Each structure stands twice: as C-alpha cells, then as structure tokens.
Amino acid sequence: MPLNKDTAPEVFVGLDFGTTWVIFNYLIPIAQTDITTLCDAEFVGEGSETKIRRFPSQVIYGPNGTPRFMSSSDSTPSAIEWFKLSLLHRDDLPYDIKSSSRLRQSEKIRERANKSAVEVTSLFLQYIWKAALKLEDLTDMMHGSLRCHITATVPAVWPSTAIDRFEEAITRAGILCGPSCTLRFLREPEAAALSLLPGIETNDGEVVVIVDCGGGTVDLASYTISQTSPLRLAECTTGRSILAGAVCVEDEFVRRLNKKFEEIPKAYVSPSIFNKLCRKFRTSFFRRLNDLDEQYMSCDIPQLGITLTFTLDELCQIFDHSVQKINSAVEAEVKSIVNNTEGFPHHIIISGGFGRNCYLQNRIKEKVSSISETINVVCYSDSTGELAVARGAVISGQASAKNSSYDRVAKVNSRICRADYGVWYRNQSEPVWMVRKGDALPTVNPIRYNLIPTLFEEAQGLNQDSYYLLLRIFCRRAETDSPHMIDTMKWRVDRQMRPQIHMYLIQLEITHTGTKVEFALLFQGNRQEGVLFSHE
C-alpha cells in the first residue's frame, strides 16, 4: 500500500541529459549519506574507473522497428545520436551544427524510422528509468512508496520550446510515476556550481565563474558567494551558452579524416574502418590530448596497406576552433563581471566531460592568465567535474524541498532576469516595467509589486454576478526591441466588489524557478488559483 505522500521517504533524482551522454544520480537521505550514480553493468570503464557511470545517447532501430541501446561509445552508421540537439528548432542551431554531416545523417536515420526527436528521447529515458527501477533502492518508486523529486538539467540558454519538448519526452517515458512525483528543470552550470563549490576554498563576497564544457553546449554562469557556511550563491550575470562542445570537435575530426582519405587514390573506406578511427580518437585522445607531451595518432589500415597518422599539431588544430570559441566566451564573461562588480572573478571552474581535456584546460589557463594572474583556475582530471551537473541537480532538488533538514545544503538565493517584464494598463502608451534585464530575482521571499486595479482592462463574466479583470504581461529582450505580449492574466471577480476594488491589495508576484520567470496574481496576500504562468 502506498504511504502517505507527505510522510513517505524521499528520493532525489538528478538527470543530466547530455548530447553525447546521460548521467543519472539519486539520493535517498534516510538510507544514504552520499549521492549514487546509476551504472550499467555492461559498461567497462577506462583506467581506474571500473564502470562508466553514464549512458551513451545513442539508439539503434532494427529492421523490425525494435530499438537497441548502445553499450559503448562507438558510433555506428545506423545509430541515432545527438538527438538532444533535435529538440531545438532548427533555426535555433548555429550554421556549423546545422551543416554537420553526422547530425544530418542521424536525423535521416531517425526520419526513416518515422520517429520524432521527442519519441527517441522518451524511449531512451524510459530505458534508463527501467535500469534505475531494477535497483533495490529504487523499486519502491514503482509502488508510490517513495516521494520522487526529479531535477532535469538543461543548457544555460535554452529556448522554452526545447524545454517543453524535453518535458513531454520525460512524461511519455513514464518517469513521473504517481502523484507524489515532481519534476523541475535547472540550468546546467548552476547545478555544477552547487556540486563543486562546497569542495573549493572560497570566501564571502568572492565571484566564481562556472565553465561547463559538455557534449554539445559550453555554458558559463557567474555567482557571488553570499555566504560560505552553509553555502549561499547569488547569480551576478546573465551568463552565456555556445555550441562548442565535444560534438563540434568530433565533427571537425570527421571532416579532416575524410580529407585525408580523399588524398589516397581509389581508397574505399568501409564504415567499420571509419568507426574504428573515430573510436580511437574518442578514447585515446579526446580526453588525454596534451600539447605538453609528444603525442600523435597512428592507425594501421591493412585493407588499404597504409598507416594513417595525425601529428600532434594536426590533433591540436582539430580542437582549436572550439577552444577559441570557449576562450572568447570566457573573456566576455570576465568583462561582464568587471562591469557589474568592478573587479575580476576570483575563481574559474571548468566542469563537464569535455572539460577533462588537458589541451582545453591548458588553453583556458593561458587565456585567463593573460587577463589577470590573480584568477584561480580549477579543473579536474578525474570524473568529479564530469559528474558535477547530475550531482548538483540532486542537491538543488533538496534545496527546493520544504524540509528544514536540508537547510544546510548549497543553495542559490537569487537569479538574474534575462529580459524586461512589465504590465500594460489601459490608456497607457507603454508598459510599466517592473523587472529589468539584469535584475536579481530572489528564489525565496519573491518580489511583489502593487498593482492598480482601477486601470485593469475588464471583460464580461459568465453571468451578471461576475466580471474579469485582465492584466496583460509584456516582455522585451533588449531596450531597442518592441515590447511583445507574452500572456494575459484573467481574474474572475464578484461584481459586488467592483465599487471597492481600489481598496483591496492586489499584487503581482515574480520569482525565478531555475529556468523560467514565474508570475502569480495575489489578492490580499493570497495566490489566486489558476492565475499563474511562467516564461523565459
């Protein structure tokens, strides 16, 4: 029998859905002291890691339409991959990603299977969820005996339409099992900050930049340390997100590999040979490339009677386009901090799977040193930075829970608004802007703005005893943009209140949920049911 939803034990799940990998973390506070990462027993790790604690984001559909999931990072000609990018509208992708031969091939395979990006994502998440439910710790979730709080992460700047598709995929996957299961979204660099900063020596007032280098996106976010114990953070810039992750490097390798084969007369390259070379690059050089060592990539190809070689200089050039974009983003973020705080950041922390690459780490250190030698650059050679987003998602889930026993976990107390928001009263020539781009929105004790009810627009109610007050919410991304309406809040009022409506306290409450700005209408301090929406 399911336990009472208010007293049942809690499980916090962190889902880092990446372009190339997915990491699933969980914590049951009453039974565990540390966060656990879901492992697939079929995966064999590298070096000292006995198991790869992640799932490759690849799906293969057989001739009869039966899906199969990859148990290694190998790319096969028939695999659907990078499907996270397909959750975005094609117009939201930069040209170099849209023109990627691997993305085009993957989308053609998906379309031949007659599957949408949401369907493939849902199927893949369902596969991971079933693997989780096999664990003895989590089987009670099936029966509603655990209150499950899921925090799924998304890039720092991701369109709301993509988040909506991601949410649809999670719902279709059956992950939201029962009324006691909740779902929230969080930006990836914020999750990384919550995971990594408790392990770094910081002081009150210091500014920290997170550079989360993942499979597709590289996300930057900056925080002021409001308090060190317990850790409390305040976002201090709007941050930035670029598509310069691992897939861009792999795509450049494929381009250069094709060029080398074009130089060999009458060379036919079978898919197996091509994938062998891609795998060698991914496993031997992607993380370990270090321009301080004498390295090169060599692979014998007996079928062609040749040895294909990439020199150290050629390998570095494969990374350089992404590295330069990342360094430009780092420099721009530091400038934003200097403009906002009149000082340099104290720490720059490199996280994410791509962030383990030695060559990338060295180039970022060089760039930061050229800006200011006082900035401390923190990077990781083990899986600490790679697992940070999924672990931070679990921590954020605890921080958002209404339970005093989690009061000492790391929290973000305010987030930066990324647009102007205001209301447009009747007979006004422009909106009254209540929140400006760059303003800090608290995550607790939300900001409340007093409204002028006599200036609301009105509409006839369903009967003579009531009418509606209409409040139109407008938004603009920049001061040069024209305001556009994002929603109309419609509040039903008894007609007998109309003569005294000016005497009542009516407010607009604005808060930041992690990925969206949420608006609620309050009457005499109480939220009005159904008069609530969110936007970002």
Side-chain angles (χ1 to χ4, degrees):
M1 176 182 294
L3 298 178
N4 184 295
K5 68 176 183 178
D6 296 322
T7 59
E10 294 178 301
V11 56
F12 297 94
V13 171
L15 182 63
D16 177 10
F17 174 53
T19 304
T20 53
W21 299 95
V22 173
I23 301 175
F24 182 104
N25 276 359
Y26 69 94
L27 174 68
I28 306 174
I30 66 167
Q32 298 170 274
T33 57
D34 198 9
I35 296 169
T36 299
T37 304
L38 178 64
C39 300
D40 190 315
E42 297 178 12
F43 293 179
V44 179
E46 302 169 13
S48 61
E49 295 179 283
T50 56
K51 292 180 181 178
I52 295 178
R53 295 181 289 181
R54 53 188 187 169
F55 295 79
S57 306
Q58 297 179 349
V59 180
I60 298 176
Y61 282 92
N64 61 351
T66 304
R68 182 166 65 86
F69 303 94
M70 304 295 286
S71 58
S72 73
S73 61
D74 286 25
S75 225
T76 73
S78 58
I80 301 173
E81 54 185 359
W82 299 8
F83 43 86
K84 176 182 178 178
L85 298 179
S86 296
L87 293 175
L88 291 141
H89 190 281
R90 194 161 182 80
D91 290 345
D92 293 322
L93 291 170
Y95 175 77
D96 51 349
I97 294 294
K98 276 193 285 193
S99 59
S100 163
S101 59
R102 283 183 65 185
L103 181 60
R104 287 202 308 268
Q105 179 192 23
S106 179
E107 289 187 331
K108 285 179 181 177
I109 296 168
R110 176 173 58 76
E111 288 164 4
R112 282 201 298 268
N114 196 27
K115 300 293 181 183
S116 68
V118 169
E119 287 175 308
V120 174
T121 303
S122 173
L123 187 73
F124 184 74
L125 294 176
Q126 186 180 66
Y127 159 67
I128 294 175
W129 188 247
K130 287 180 177 178
L133 294 181
K134 291 178 183 178
L135 298 174
E136 186 176 348
D137 291 343
L138 301 180
T139 52
D140 285 343
M141 283 196 297
M142 295 177 62
H143 311 295
S145 299
L146 282 174
R147 285 181 290 159
C148 182
H149 305 295
I150 299 170
T151 301
T153 60
V154 296
V157 182
W158 225 36
S160 57
T161 52
I163 296 176
D164 290 343
R165 293 189 189 105
F166 187 23
E167 183 173 8
E168 181 184 350
I170 291 173
T171 303
R172 286 192 186 189
I175 292 177
L176 304 180
C177 48
S180 61
C181 188
T182 63
L183 173 67
R184 56 192 294 273
F185 293 96
L186 184 71
R187 292 192 176 102
E188 290 163 1
E190 181 175 321
L194 294 173
S195 174
L196 297 175
L197 282 175
I200 297 171
E201 187 175 343
T202 57
N203 297 304
D204 291 359
E206 290 186 341
V207 176
V208 179
V209 180
I210 302 295
V211 185
D212 185 54
C213 306
T217 58
V218 174
D219 300 308
L220 292 86
S222 300
Y223 300 91
T224 300
I225 308 292
S226 305
Q227 180 180 306
T228 54
S229 182
L231 183 64
R232 296 293 180 262
L233 306 175
E235 192 176 31
C236 58
T237 70
T238 55
R240 61 200 73 235
S241 182
I242 57 173
L243 276 164
V247 296
C248 301
V249 176
E250 290 187 27
D251 217 41
E252 179 63 15
F253 174 75
V254 169
R255 190 185 70 80
R256 290 176 180 256
L257 185 59
N258 277 322
K259 190 173 180 180
K260 278 189 177 285
F261 280 124
E262 287 171 4
E263 296 169 356
I264 303 171
K266 299 181 180 179
Y268 167 72
V269 184
S270 68
S272 61
I273 294 175
F274 205 88
N275 287 320
K276 178 182 178 182
L277 292 168
C278 290
R279 184 177 186 276
K280 184 163 186 175
F281 172 75
R282 191 179 298 116
T283 57
S284 300
F285 293 93
F286 190 77
R287 287 184 180 169
R288 298 187 178 90
L289 179 66
N290 189 335
D291 59 327
L292 301 178
D293 300 330
E294 287 296 325
Q295 292 181 311
Y296 65 93
M297 176 178 169
S298 178
C299 189
D300 294 329
I301 307 177
Q303 298 92 326
L304 300 178
I306 62 169
T307 298
L308 195 70
T309 301
F310 280 90
T311 66
L312 174 60
D313 190 49
E314 287 176 315
L315 290 171
C316 292
Q317 289 174 15
I318 291 169
F319 285 81
D320 279 343
H321 181 61
S322 285
V323 169
Q324 289 165 8
K325 287 177 70 175
I326 293 168
N327 272 340
S328 294
V330 169
E331 185 173 22
E333 186 67 10
V334 170
K335 285 182 178 178
S336 293
I337 291 168
V338 172
N339 291 336
N340 291 352
T341 68
E342 300 183 353
F344 288 108
H346 299 79
H347 310 274
I348 292 180
I349 302 172
I350 307 170
S351 62
F354 185 25
R356 291 178 69 172
N357 181 269
C358 296
Y359 182 71
L360 173 62
Q361 292 176 359
N362 292 339
R363 297 289 76 76
I364 293 178
K365 287 177 181 177
E366 283 180 1
K367 168 56 73 174
V368 172
S369 179
S370 72
I371 298 170
S372 172
E373 294 186 352
T374 65
I375 302 173
N376 174 41
V377 179
V378 181
C379 45
Y380 303 89
S381 58
D382 59 11
S383 62
T384 301
E386 187 171 9
L387 298 175
V389 169
R391 289 180 63 86
V394 172
I395 294 167
S396 178
Q398 289 182 280
S400 65
K402 296 178 180 178
N403 188 327
S404 60
S405 61
Y406 307 134
D407 283 350
R408 296 197 64 79
V409 302
K411 295 181 182 179
V412 172
N413 279 346
S414 67
R415 301 185 179 100
I416 294 296
C417 191
R418 287 157 172 79
D420 296 342
Y421 292 98
V423 299
W424 203 317
Y425 292 123
R426 65 182 178 187
N427 302 325
Q428 297 288 313
S429 59
E430 63 177 20
V432 176
W433 298 110
M434 295 182 167
V435 178
R436 296 284 187 172
K437 184 176 181 179
D439 286 352
L441 293 178
T443 58
V444 292
N445 301 322
I447 296 174
R448 294 179 177 181
Y449 296 90
N450 293 345
L451 301 174
I452 307 172
T454 53
L455 295 182
F456 280 39
E457 293 184 45
E458 297 181 8
Q460 178 60 45
L462 298 176
N463 52 54
Q464 295 298 318
D465 297 329
S466 66
Y467 71 107
Y468 289 103
L469 291 179
L470 307 178
L471 185 65
R472 305 189 190 281
I473 308 294
F474 281 75
C475 169
R476 66 181 179 188
R477 297 288 176 182
E479 288 191 12
T480 55
D481 293 347
S482 297
H484 66 278
M485 191 175 71
I486 55 175
D487 208 291
T488 299
M489 303 185 85
K490 189 176 180 180
W491 182 43
R492 181 180 173 276
V493 183
D494 289 339
R495 191 167 293 277
Q496 63 184 12
M497 290 174 54
R498 190 173 188 177
Q500 294 86 30
I501 194 68
H502 65 282
M503 300 172 57
Y504 294 102
L505 178 64
I506 302 177
Q507 297 169 300
L508 185 67
E509 182 180 83
I510 306 176
T511 189
H512 205 304
T513 65
T515 58
K516 295 182 178 181
V517 176
E518 187 176 88
F519 301 83
L521 194 68
L522 282 73
F523 176 69
Q524 299 291 81
N526 298 312
R527 279 195 174 200
Q528 298 305 290
E529 186 177 350
V531 193
L532 182 149
F533 77 100
S534 58
H535 179 265
E536 183 72 313

